[in-house]
Amino acid sequence: MTDTSEYFPNRIDRIEQIILGLAQRQTSTQEQLDNLTIRQVNTQAQLDELSQEMRELTSNVDRVLGRSAILDDVLLELRDSHEQHQRNFEEHQRTTNAALQSLESILLQLIRNNS
């Protein structure tokens, strides 16, 4: 009987040690789960912030592209207008030169007639 009575307390002690070890592991596992939950919350917050920044960036890009399209149209109009003004100037220069030549001819005739 002494063998049996020594056997059971040793076995109970070992079971107790196993249970204590399991409790420590469970506590450690719970701490790891808590840390993972905190990391997940932080990661989600970062993803939300990144999504907001992405929406703002997309909005900015859309505005810039819209303005760029408007500026492209304005630039085309300015080029057309410049070309038209250039043609008008050249025509005005031709008519002015023709008028000056005509006036020069008249002046030469007047000078000849007065001489």
Side-chain angles (χ1 to χ4, degrees):
M1 281 219 166
T2 47
D3 288 340
T4 308
S5 62
E6 286 178 16
Y7 175 74
F8 282 115
N10 274 344
R11 191 169 181 202
I12 290 173
D13 288 343
R14 283 194 335 222
I15 291 171
E16 185 180 12
Q17 288 175 353
I18 290 171
I19 290 172
L20 288 174
L22 287 173
Q24 287 175 347
R25 287 182 188 166
Q26 184 180 9
T27 301
S28 175
T29 301
Q30 187 60 49
E31 288 173 357
Q32 289 175 352
L33 284 172
D34 292 344
N35 286 337
L36 285 174
T37 301
I38 290 170
R39 286 182 188 165
Q40 183 182 12
V41 168
N42 289 339
T43 301
Q44 187 60 46
Q46 289 173 341
L47 284 174
D48 292 344
E49 185 179 335
L50 224 98
S51 293
Q52 179 61 31
E53 289 177 8
M54 183 62 82
R55 284 190 292 275
E56 290 173 7
L57 180 62
T58 301
S59 176
N60 288 343
V61 167
D62 289 343
R63 276 197 314 264
V64 166
L65 290 175
R67 289 177 181 170
S68 177
I70 291 170
L71 289 174
D72 286 345
D73 290 344
V74 168
L75 183 61
L76 288 175
E77 288 179 23
L78 285 173
R79 283 184 185 159
D80 291 344
S81 175
H82 173 72
E83 289 171 0
Q84 183 61 44
H85 284 294
Q86 184 67 31
R87 286 190 297 271
N88 289 347
F89 174 77
E90 289 169 359
E91 180 61 27
H92 177 72
Q93 195 173 21
R94 278 191 293 276
T95 57
T96 300
N97 285 341
L100 285 174
Q101 285 178 354
S102 189
L103 285 173
E104 186 179 346
S105 291
I106 293 170
L107 184 61
L108 284 175
Q109 279 182 348
L110 286 173
I111 290 174
R112 283 186 204 138
N113 288 340
N114 285 336
S115 299

